[in-house]
Amino acid sequence: QVQLVESGGGLVQAGGSLRLSCAASGRTVSSCAMGWFRQAPGKERELVATIDWSGGVTYYADSVKGRFTISRDNIKNMVYLQMSSLKPEDTAVYYCAAAYLGSSIVVISTNDDEYQYWGQGTQVTVSS
């Protein structure tokens, strides 16, 4: 089993930056894809970014591309989301998730259902 704990959320002004961290324990997630999702009030949960097991392949939602950076440290069993140029529309609860995809070809996923493990979430609020 894998336990994921997010941290680093908070209140920032528009244009500011935050770095979210996700600590994994119980089992290494070195062999899985990791993703950051978010859910804003009244909206569906959406993928923010995902990264493959090696850290060499990433994907970003169009809404955050160029502003957010996902990274991972497999030695520390950590994944990060660096958020810059934050906008009020980025306000949401951010969730870290792990996906064991079972494929040597498809190394990342944008599908919520393929992520087996989820953290409790951390609140990010961006004021205008």
Side-chain angles (χ1 to χ4, degrees):
Q1 299 297 313
V2 175
Q3 293 81 47
L4 303 173
V5 180
E6 304 95 337
S7 63
L11 174 64
V12 298
Q13 292 184 326
S17 299
L18 281 175
R19 189 178 79 156
L20 305 184
S21 298
C22 175
S25 62
R27 180 181 294 180
T28 180
V29 293
S30 297
S31 61
C32 70
M34 301 294 295
W36 285 98
F37 295 79
R38 67 186 182 187
Q39 187 165 28
K43 294 186 177 181
E44 299 288 335
R45 185 173 61 194
E46 63 176 350
L47 175 72
V48 176
T50 185
I51 187 168
D52 82 317
W53 71 271
S54 71
V57 180
T58 58
Y59 172 87
Y60 298 92
D62 288 342
S63 60
V64 307
K65 192 174 299 182
R67 299 188 298 119
F68 290 11
T69 301
I70 188 170
S71 61
R72 68 190 299 166
D73 185 335
N74 287 339
I75 296 175
K76 296 181 178 180
N77 232 20
M78 298 283 290
V79 61
Y80 307 96
L81 185 68
Q82 177 66 50
M83 305 184 294
S84 300
S85 301
L86 284 162
K87 305 174 181 179
E89 64 197 63
D90 295 318
T91 295
V93 176
Y94 284 71
Y95 298 92
C96 176
Y100 291 90
L101 299 175
S103 174
S104 61
I105 300 174
V106 180
V107 296
I108 57 173
S109 175
T110 60
N111 187 350
D112 297 25
D113 292 337
E114 293 187 312
Y115 289 82
Q116 295 91 355
Y117 305 99
W118 293 80
Q120 296 297 310
T122 185
Q123 177 71 48
V124 173
T125 302
V126 184
S127 62
S128 60

